[in-house]
Amino acid sequence: MGAFQKFENRLEQAISGAFARAFRSAVQPVEISAALQRELDNNAQILSRDRRLVPNSFHVELSPVDLERLAPYDSAMAAELTDALRDHAAQQAYVFPGPVRIAFEEAADLTTGRFRVRSRAEAKVSGNDTRTQVGRARAVLEVNGTTHALHPPGVVVGRGTEADIRVNDPGVSRRHAEFGVSRGADGTVRLAVRDLGSTNGVVVDGQKVAQSPLDDGSVVKVGNTTLTVRLVPDPDGSGASTGEAHR
């Protein structure tokens, strides 16, 4: 029995065949599974002789009709698709940079029975701050769906365990960049980023820099990972402005 036949059997058992009946004349789950596996094969990046990095974040775009039919079964289908991807990755020595995520979205330009897959490698990100610390911060970094506090004097972003914000991205150095944070006498938040001698450098709003001041909405790229700076207004309602941080 082939891998795709096993996938279909598992899916039908998981949802009692209802999904297969609903989609009999529309897009087929096995087609989506095959397309997702092709995304891995076509986008694999060599890490070493025996390891290749592959995407782990997937957006499956469907026609409005197909998405509506899928809605009652999307969780079960996503779980089965994820298991199938993990099996394929294990067979091919692929490495996911973080948890596998599959989301289904509507695309008005697609007709019934047609779909499109978009993928990207989304590094797992972890930090040391608590939810309370993030809630009290006047500035934060948003990275791959996670939020991290920017408190004075600042934080180091990198792949190593010594970094304050750890990014599991092979393009990120162990200590890649330092985000400096200070507050002026008037309470304004001052932010800047500094390259710590990384291999692949730091890019701010599309420009490679050695160091640079940051503003609300500044986009910083390290390796293949994008970090977005967000300022949070003070509880008294006053806004927070930024400028270069002095350490």
Side-chain angles (χ1 to χ4, degrees):
M1 183 182 295
F4 290 128
Q5 183 63 50
K6 291 179 181 178
F7 166 76
E8 284 189 317
N9 290 345
R10 290 204 313 265
L11 184 64
E12 287 198 32
Q13 291 172 4
I15 55 181
S16 303
F19 183 89
R21 290 193 296 273
F23 269 64
R24 187 164 293 152
S25 61
V27 64
Q28 298 298 313
V30 68
E31 295 173 346
I32 297 177
S33 182
L36 291 171
Q37 292 185 27
R38 283 196 300 272
E39 285 292 303
L40 300 191
D41 298 337
N42 294 338
N43 293 283
Q45 301 178 39
I46 296 175
L47 294 177
S48 65
R49 187 175 66 177
D50 301 319
R51 298 169 69 244
R52 287 179 286 176
L53 182 74
V54 290
N56 61 313
S57 177
F58 304 89
H59 293 267
V60 181
E61 298 179 348
L62 300 160
S63 71
V65 171
D66 283 337
L67 187 64
E68 183 178 359
R69 290 175 176 174
L70 167 65
Y73 322 108
D74 57 358
S75 295
M77 184 172 174
E80 290 299 327
L81 289 170
T82 297
D83 287 344
L85 276 180
R86 286 174 177 154
D87 289 345
H88 184 65
Q91 293 169 8
Q92 302 298 324
Y94 292 156
V95 177
F96 294 116
V100 176
R101 297 187 179 93
I102 300 175
F104 302 98
E105 300 175 352
E106 180 179 319
D109 64 317
L110 294 177
T111 56
T112 302
R114 298 185 66 83
F115 66 94
R116 183 166 52 231
V117 175
R118 294 183 291 109
S119 67
R120 64 187 295 257
E122 191 172 88
K124 180 182 179 181
V125 182
S126 57
N128 300 322
D129 14 298
T130 65
R131 187 173 301 178
T132 299
Q133 288 173 319
V134 173
R136 290 177 177 172
R138 301 278 64 81
V140 298
L141 278 179
E142 295 178 350
V143 197
N144 292 351
T146 65
T147 303
H148 304 269
L150 288 173
H151 286 304
V155 300
V156 170
V157 172
R159 187 166 44 86
T161 56
E162 65 271 27
D164 301 299
I165 300 175
R166 296 171 293 282
V167 182
N168 185 32
D169 179 338
V172 172
S173 298
R174 295 185 66 80
R175 286 173 53 87
H176 196 109
E178 180 181 36
F179 287 77
V181 186
S182 66
R183 297 198 71 155
D186 58 356
T188 58
V189 178
R190 301 173 185 271
L191 302 173
V193 65
R194 179 168 64 96
D195 188 350
L196 296 178
S198 65
T199 301
N200 295 315
V202 174
V203 176
V204 177
D205 296 329
Q207 299 293 320
K208 192 169 186 178
V209 302
Q211 58 182 15
S212 173
L214 300 172
D215 297 307
D216 183 31
S218 290
V219 176
V220 181
K221 188 173 183 181
V222 295
N224 298 306
T225 300
T226 298
L227 308 91
T228 303
V229 176
R230 298 294 183 195
L231 293 181
V232 182
D234 285 320
D236 62 8
S238 63
S241 60
T242 60
E244 185 173 357
H246 299 284
R247 299 298 302 275

